[in-house]
Amino acid sequence: MITFREYTPSPALFNSLTDSVDWGTRDEGVVQTALENSLCCVCAFDGEEIVGFGRLIGDRTIFLYVQDVMVRPEYQGQKVGTGIMEKLIEEVNEYKQINKGIRTYLGASRGKEDFYRRFGFETRADAGLGPGMVLF
Ligand SMILES: CC(C)(COP(=O)(O)OP(=O)(O)OC[C@H]1O[C@@H](n2cnc3c(N)ncnc32)[C@H](O)[C@@H]1OP(=O)(O)O)[C@@H](O)C(=O)NCCC(=O)NCCS
């Protein structure tokens, strides 16, 4: 049975997850700082093994950001991503008690929009907003 709970993985484990979904790996010190500065990390466990992950970053009051939602390929299509998103949305709802107008963003990879629509997200275009932009 897959279970979901707040847990911060080690940088090595985080890298093994990103690698499994073809996002590559990063310096472990960089990952450590990123995870430490996250508001909340959610892991999906199959027994003791972490098979999926997602995190929330942000300022706790005006803007939140869902980041790094990923499920090991062999576990995809089994509602693991759904469980991770549900946990993250629970967390978002906690922050809504501080400011009900809090806005939660995410950057959907191409073709993943419909997955996120299930949780109430809409594209900025559909919401009548301008395009999102990124600085590399
Ligand atoms: C995207 C991802 C997180 C989804 O997790 P998952 O565990 O495979 O998804 P689930 O099994 O919870 O899917 C729930 C529903 O969403 C649908 N869904 C999943 N991925 C989808 C997609 N890319 N587009 C549309 N629908 C999708 C599923 O078909 C399922 O529908 P159903 O309830 O009618 O059967 C996972 O496939 C993944 O890690 N992909 C690689 C990394 C990635 O691209 N992450 C997203 C970054 S923006």
Side-chain angles (χ1 to χ4, degrees), residues 23 69-71 76-82 109 111-112 116 118:
W23 291 347
V69 177
M70 53 189 164
V71 176
Q76 289 176 13
Q78 300 170 47
K79 304 280 189 250
V80 177
T82 299
S109 303
K112 298 296 189 287
Y116 291 115
R118 292 166 174 269

Side-chain angles (χ1 to χ4, degrees), residues 7-39:
Y7 180 81
T8 303
S10 69
L13 198 60
F14 179 89
N15 272 336
S16 88
L17 287 165
T18 54
D19 207 25
S20 78
V21 294
D22 291 331
W23 291 347
T25 60
R26 297 183 182 86
D27 175 86
E28 289 192 9
V30 168
V31 173
Q32 177 80 34
T33 302
L35 295 177
E36 278 171 9
N37 286 299
S38 300
L39 298 180

Side-chain angles (χ1 to χ4, degrees), residues 54-75:
R55 67 186 172 120
L56 206 59
I57 59 178
D59 62 16
R60 295 187 166 87
T61 51
I62 304 176
F63 290 110
L64 299 174
Y65 208 102
V66 170
Q67 191 62 47
D68 298 324
V69 177
M70 53 189 164
V71 176
R72 284 194 188 281
E74 59 273 34
Y75 285 87

Side-chain angles (χ1 to χ4, degrees), residues 85-102:
M85 284 301 297
E86 286 173 350
K87 271 284 201 206
L88 291 175
I89 298 287
E90 271 176 31
E91 193 72 14
V92 166
N93 288 336
E94 292 291 316
Y95 288 110
K96 276 194 176 165
Q97 292 178 22
I98 303 170
N99 171 18
K100 67 177 170 22
I102 199 163

